Amino acid sequence: MKRTLRFLSLPKVVSGASIVSAIEGEGPIGDCFDIVAEDDKMGLDSFEKAELQFFENAVRLCCDKAGMHKGELNVLLAGDLLNQLITANYGARNLGIPFLGLYGACSTMAESLLVGSVLVDGGYCSPVACIAGSHFSTAERQYRYPLEMGTTSPPTAQRTVTGAGCLMLASAPPPKPVFSHICVSAATIGKVIDLGITDANNMGACMAPAACDTLLTYFGETNESVDDFDWIITGDLGKFGSEMLFSLCGRHDLDLSGKHLDCGCLIYPPEEKYNCGGSGCGCSAVTLAGHFLPMLERGEVKRILFLATGALMSPTSNLQGESIPAIAHAIVLEYH
């Protein structure tokens, strides 16, 4: 069962946009985002409506930067964390773009890039928009506790990023390409891995085994090694999950030292109130679009493995005592 795909036409990443709230804008990579919204409600009367606004604005900005109208997109590949993908669904309704809704929790950005690359490489659709977003306040009251309760989070917890990141894939450059030297050359489809962890406040531990499995699969199926990449970037394992990933990979003689970076560990200042770092499908989306891809475009790095991870938890299954399975998809991005 081969899980790694090679894209012969090398689909191009031609545009990107990232929008975050003020807290993310205060972090160590805050200067890289296109828009930092001072009001995480976006002037609206609910956090869910604000999350929708982040989402729509990211798609529109991605198109505007490329000199295109949103109506020129062939398909929107999108997902979020809310029940029934309400942010992506209503966003697609308002944008009027053909739509495929995806749910991979925090791995959604990698999943959308994987599906988008298949569509572009096969000659079926171009251009396509890949987007994922999340909001701290909507995720907290869906998965954990209402904010009004003032519940203290444990040290292993991560803060859901408020923001949305959008990338455009195409077979040919748009009128004003934001990126001219980035392509997707390969991807590995993740497998659901479950070690029986039930703690909803320790998603890093849930996701690290899936990240390890996908890494081992990619290297095993391609005969490549860690040294073939400048960076291996995980989505949002956070501090604890990153440590666990190193430990798991070490059991298989896979050494990530000096190569691994984690979006969740980068996006917030290293302060106690952020616990183990950032999470949410907006975390890897905005960090990839705003921070890593501009560095790849400038040629500062030549090849990265983007490995977004997702804890496939549900409020219902968690209350019933079910464990939390996880998945990780890998995308190879190259300077070309």
Side-chain angles (χ1 to χ4, degrees), residues 94-236:
N94 297 342
L95 292 165
I97 303 169
F99 169 62
L100 289 173
L102 306 172
Y103 185 78
C106 303
S107 72
T108 298
M109 194 61 193
E111 183 178 0
S112 65
L113 287 170
L114 193 159
V115 175
S117 296
V118 170
L119 293 174
V120 173
D121 187 60
Y124 301 108
C125 295
S126 178
V128 304
C130 306
I131 177 170
S134 53
H135 196 296
F136 169 74
S137 298
T138 65
E140 283 300 302
R141 65 183 175 195
Q142 175 172 293
Y143 287 104
R144 298 179 185 91
Y145 302 99
L147 298 178
E148 294 81 0
M149 291 182 65
T151 307
T152 301
S153 57
T156 55
Q158 294 167 248
R159 179 187 173 91
T160 302
V161 165
T162 297
C166 183
L167 293 173
M168 187 185 298
L169 295 175
S171 56
K176 298 192 299 183
V178 176
F179 304 122
S180 301
H181 301 287
I182 302 175
C183 68
V184 183
S185 61
T188 296
I189 300 170
K191 186 167 71 173
V192 177
I193 304 294
D194 190 346
L195 291 192
I197 296 169
T198 58
D199 184 0
N201 286 300
N202 194 355
M203 290 188 294
C206 301
M207 297 186 290
C212 180
D213 175 79
T214 300
L215 280 176
L216 293 172
T217 299
Y218 176 82
F219 291 129
E221 292 185 348
T222 62
N223 293 318
E224 294 180 7
S225 71
V226 174
D227 292 333
D228 291 308
F229 293 92
D230 295 288
W231 289 328
I232 294 172
I233 302 165
T234 48
D236 50 358

Side-chain angles (χ1 to χ4, degrees), residues 21-22 26 36 53 68-69 83 118 135 143 145 162 187 214 219 259 262 293 307:
S21 75
E26 295 169 357
V36 177
Q53 195 67 56
M68 293 175 52
H69 184 268
N83 289 338
V118 170
H135 196 296
Y143 287 104
Y145 302 99
T162 297
T214 300
F219 291 129
K259 297 285 188 176
D262 183 75
L293 290 190
L307 184 70

Side-chain angles (χ1 to χ4, degrees), residues 52 55-56 85-95:
L52 176 59
F55 179 98
E56 291 182 32
L85 297 180
I86 58 171
T87 299
N89 292 341
Y90 285 104
R93 176 197 67 180
N94 297 342
L95 292 165

